[in-house]
Amino acid sequence: MGITGIIGGSGLYDIQGLTATRWEKVASPFGEPSDALLFGELDGQPLVFLPRHGRGHRLSPSEINYRANIDALKRVGVDQLISVSAVGSLKEHLRPGIFILVDQYIDRTHGRENSFFGSGCVAHVSLAHPTCARLNQLIGNMAQEAGIETVVGGTYLAMEGPQFSTQAESELYRSWNCDVIGMTNMPEARLAREAEMCYASVAMVTDYDCWHPDHDNVSVSQIIRTLLDNAEKAKTLVRRAVPAFGRDENAASCACRFALEHAIITAPDARDPQLVQRLDAVAGRILNP
């Protein structure tokens, strides 16, 4: 049985309905994760939850140790991961309150460690399709059953932050046909692929970005209200989706689970033993068969 991981962003700081819960700190050779991991069961299915910004929202998007987060989740057996995050909309029809199941990214972040691999062990994974189509379809079906307005497919513009974009930047991203804008899905999605995890991103629209003519008329209280409403819908979606994941007979053969199959190109006798040791969870299937 696989283990589902949930990374909760702004507004989603806990998972309702979990039983047999415990918080446990998990050490990573890549540094300190955002927080301890919350272990539990949801309708008999194992689940691990990580608050992306830490409990109390301590960390800005640029301060998150994305490598440690993904490594820690992989280390405890997570093989499919749902990322939940708040985003701004770059299109009129993607109104606040709508969920987008992202299937593409444009990465404008900088200065973040975006790979587990490097000098001494080089790997190149495919990111042509950076999220898991299987998970997106399952989550989309569960959202429809729950009456949560959800769009399957969309492009997420990942910006560095923590400041929001300028109006000129917002208009530029719209000209690139991006759908939503956020600060946390990169390098998270890249690292999940390197760790051979199935990864799905549930992007919850809280507001229109600053391109919209009504942007200045939206109050902070309205955005917070939408954020909290989105969080409740996300909890409902998780409660429905996780048991469905456990019933999916196609999980074990999903291509995401074999992303490293031909990706590591450094010859065995040229690999850095210390780096290989750090990769024991992420790439142990290949490096230590």
Side-chain angles (χ1 to χ4, degrees), residues 43-223:
D43 288 348
Q45 299 295 325
L47 185 145
V48 181
F49 174 74
L50 172 65
R52 182 187 284 114
H53 300 277
R55 282 169 285 181
H57 206 112
R58 298 176 293 103
L59 301 170
S60 81
S62 300
E63 296 171 323
I64 294 167
N65 188 335
Y66 295 91
R67 292 197 301 178
N69 284 353
I70 297 297
D71 176 79
L73 289 165
K74 178 75 173 185
R75 201 164 286 279
V76 299
V78 170
D79 51 18
Q80 49 194 9
L81 185 59
I82 306 175
S83 164
V84 182
S85 58
V87 296
S89 169
L90 294 170
K91 292 187 176 176
E92 184 81 44
H93 71 281
L94 299 177
R95 304 179 308 280
I98 289 178
F99 286 10
I100 317 296
L101 297 177
V102 176
D103 63 356
Q104 286 295 328
Y105 293 99
I106 294 178
D107 189 359
R108 298 279 289 175
T109 64
H110 54 83
R112 302 181 184 186
E113 296 285 356
N114 64 7
S115 178
F116 291 110
F117 298 91
S119 179
C121 192
V122 177
H124 301 283
V125 299
S126 172
L127 275 179
H129 303 286
T131 60
C132 179
R134 178 184 62 85
L135 286 188
N136 275 355
Q137 190 60 56
L138 285 171
I139 296 170
N141 292 343
M142 294 301 104
Q144 186 175 26
E145 289 183 11
I148 299 171
E149 189 173 2
T150 302
V151 176
V152 179
T155 298
Y156 178 122
L157 187 290
M159 64 179 294
E160 181 62 38
Q163 303 87 355
F164 294 113
S165 53
T166 68
Q167 187 171 358
E169 288 170 331
S170 191
E171 292 290 0
L172 175 65
Y173 304 148
R174 277 169 49 78
S175 77
W176 291 350
N177 200 32
C178 297
D179 294 287
V180 294
I181 183 168
M183 301 179 188
T184 57
N185 271 200
M186 282 292 178
E188 194 174 84
R190 296 182 185 277
L191 296 166
R193 177 57 52 83
E194 287 188 343
E196 298 190 316
M197 289 179 174
C198 296
Y199 178 88
S201 171
V202 180
M204 309 180 297
V205 177
T206 59
D207 61 280
Y208 289 112
D209 202 41
C210 61
W211 65 272
H212 198 279
D214 294 332
H215 171 79
D216 291 339
N217 298 325
V218 178
S219 67
V220 172
S221 62
Q222 287 175 291
I223 293 174

